[in-house]
Amino acid sequence: MSPSALSCREWGMVGGGTSLTDVDETEGMSMQNLPRGATGFWDATAGPAPSVDVKAFRAACYEAARVTSAEVRSFTRPQGSTPNFYTAVLSYRTGPVAVVCHVILPLLATAWPPAADDSGPLSFIDVEQLAPVLSQIPHFRLLSASELRQPLARVDLSRLGDGEREQVRYWQPETVGAMLFNYWD
């Protein structure tokens, strides 16, 4: 059975469920040992999937825009099972920047905004003026571009669920960022 077929029946991308504070596996999370749910998939037999506080993320993006003299151009939620992240696009005089938030884990990143028809890996960047603001959001962690560009081969994936590891084998992401923030179905 292909991972796509498996995801339709037994695994699901999440957008609701329990709070992250109810999930012990996110404690001590590091980029060296990623917790269950890092792919955006969750084993339904393990109970309700956790989800991030979308309202807090959205409010933080508006605050970050205010503090850094930007405008929130758009805020998008995953449509169905893909992507596995929320996106806020902030407009600056120098151009747009995307702030992305994982649907399960309280992880944030900044990237070049993807094109409307793009479903490839995001291009992560560090945005000097945004980092201090986004780093102060309670219960969220801002990842640096260097953390996200880390080769996936150097990361311990043993805490991922069996189905998640199958998804990784199928999609073959090369970096931590490509696995964490993806368009897999």
Side-chain angles (χ1 to χ4, degrees):
M1 177 183 305
S2 75
S4 293
L6 177 69
S7 67
C8 293
R9 293 192 196 125
E10 300 170 69
W11 292 80
M13 298 297 284
V14 298
T18 61
S19 159
L20 277 168
T21 57
D22 299 332
V23 180
D24 293 335
E25 289 192 34
T26 59
E27 295 302 316
M29 177 175 46
S30 76
M31 290 302 101
Q32 297 304 314
N33 189 352
L34 296 170
R36 187 169 51 128
T39 62
F41 287 82
W42 190 263
D43 180 357
T45 63
S51 64
V52 295
D53 184 347
V54 181
K55 288 181 183 178
F57 169 62
R58 186 179 179 123
C61 289
Y62 277 91
E63 177 62 10
R66 186 189 67 74
V67 169
T68 62
S69 300
E71 181 181 318
V72 177
R73 187 170 75 192
S74 65
F75 186 89
T76 57
R77 297 172 176 263
Q79 298 299 311
S81 64
T82 189
N84 73 337
F85 54 89
Y86 301 96
T87 306
V89 176
L90 280 58
S91 290
Y92 291 93
R93 281 184 285 129
T94 56
V97 172
V99 180
V100 294
C101 177
H102 196 276
V103 295
I104 293 177
L105 304 175
L107 300 175
L108 305 175
T110 50
W112 296 116
D117 60 347
D118 190 8
S119 61
L122 295 173
S123 296
F124 298 102
I125 56 175
D126 290 320
V127 181
E128 191 174 309
Q129 72 257 39
L130 274 175
V133 181
L134 296 176
S135 296
Q136 298 304 312
I137 304 171
H139 312 293
F140 285 87
R141 178 168 177 230
L142 176 64
L143 302 173
S144 70
S146 63
E147 287 177 298
L148 294 162
R149 290 184 191 126
Q150 182 176 344
L152 197 58
R154 295 186 189 166
V155 177
D156 179 3
L157 302 178
S158 65
R159 292 172 65 190
L160 298 183
D162 292 339
E164 286 186 282
R165 286 193 295 277
E166 184 178 335
Q167 293 289 329
V168 169
R169 283 190 297 276
Y170 181 80
W171 293 101
Q172 300 178 351
E174 294 182 8
T175 64
V176 169
M179 188 197 74
L180 285 172
F181 299 97
N182 64 65
Y183 292 86
W184 305 346
D185 58 7

